[in-house]
Amino acid sequence: MIEVELKFPVTDAQTLREQLDQLGGRKASTENHVDTYFNHPCRDFAETSEALRIRKIDGLPYVTYKGAKLPGEVKARRELEWSLGESDGNERPNNGSNMQELLTLLGFREVANVHKCRESYVIEDESGPISVTIDRVEQLGTFAEVEVIAEDDTQVETARTRVTDLAKKLKLENSEPRSYLRLLLVRREGQSS
């Protein structure tokens, strides 16, 4: 699958919720995410624009790999994600600690943790679902992400158009191309200077 998305800073989340409601958006969930990012031992994911993380959604762990960004204005990249089973954990089952230990033993280095509260909404149109999230990210602020999943490369441009069109309807402006991880690292570098 290919994730196609745009991210925007949000100053008024309540107005965005109201706009989503007016467009027929359905609130799907509110979740707490803790994302632990890792860097590869032999290549720098910051240079290749890849990402590897263990995400805990309300405590349940998932592994996600995001491939290099495809060329284009709207971010698109291959994504692989799966949940970790009940046996993944030492003291507490299914907490992701075995996967984290495996990555460390293989030479992956933990880079940072990103904490956020995510409200997820779904809007259906004639082409299928479009996801909109409102993320309150610790140390960074509030953002909206508009996302469509493309099954393969042939659907990417259509997905980009759908994302852009919905962002305009929601009056979202000044898209932020950097990931939450990159924004957090830039902020930390600024604080240490």
Side-chain angles (χ1 to χ4, degrees):
M1 98 180 145
I2 299 172
E3 173 188 59
V4 180
E5 70 176 9
L6 282 173
K7 176 177 25 273
F8 301 87
V10 172
T11 55
D12 186 352
Q14 185 55 39
T15 297
L16 178 56
R17 289 182 192 100
E18 291 167 6
Q19 291 170 315
L20 287 164
D21 187 51
Q22 290 169 1
L23 291 173
R26 173 181 54 82
K27 187 170 183 178
S29 63
T30 299
E31 304 165 330
N32 290 301
H33 292 197
V34 178
D35 296 341
T36 303
Y37 286 89
F38 295 86
N39 204 359
H40 195 282
C42 300
R43 67 179 187 256
D44 187 351
F45 284 163
E47 291 178 11
T48 63
S49 75
E50 295 170 281
L52 177 65
R53 72 176 179 225
I54 295 176
R55 167 173 282 175
K56 293 181 185 172
I57 300 175
D58 293 331
L60 297 175
Y62 297 78
V63 173
T64 308
Y65 166 77
K66 294 188 179 206
K69 295 172 188 158
L70 301 173
E73 292 289 316
V74 177
K75 186 192 300 183
R77 60 188 185 170
R78 189 157 311 280
E79 179 178 280
L80 302 171
E81 184 171 69
W82 62 94
S83 63
L84 295 172
E86 299 235 352
S87 62
D88 194 293
N90 293 326
E91 298 161 13
R92 194 172 62 111
N94 199 26
N95 68 4
S97 61
N98 286 342
M99 178 58 79
Q100 190 160 342
E101 183 178 356
L102 172 64
L103 291 173
T104 302
L105 290 170
L106 292 173
F108 286 80
R109 181 180 52 83
E110 187 176 322
V111 176
N113 290 296
V114 176
H115 298 256
K116 67 179 173 276
C117 179
R118 169 167 280 182
E119 294 176 55
S120 296
Y121 296 81
V122 176
I123 294 178
E124 295 281 344
D125 67 14
E126 62 280 350
S127 300
I130 302 176
S131 165
V132 179
T133 62
I134 301 172
D135 292 334
R136 289 186 317 273
V137 186
E138 285 184 17
Q139 302 179 46
L140 297 178
T142 303
F143 296 84
E145 289 187 4
V146 180
E147 177 183 299
V148 171
I149 300 299
E151 294 300 320
D152 58 43
D153 294 343
T154 65
Q155 298 178 358
V156 169
E157 289 311 313
T158 300
R160 283 178 166 156
T161 300
R162 292 178 68 212
V163 165
T164 303
D165 289 350
L166 181 56
K168 286 178 186 172
K169 285 180 186 174
L170 293 170
K171 298 177 178 65
L172 295 169
E173 299 176 332
N174 303 316
S175 70
E176 173 55 68
R178 296 170 293 181
S179 68
Y180 296 136
L181 173 63
R182 179 64 37 217
L183 289 169
L184 184 62
L185 294 175
V186 165
R187 180 178 176 165
R188 286 183 184 169
E189 289 170 10
Q191 290 176 343
S192 65
S193 307

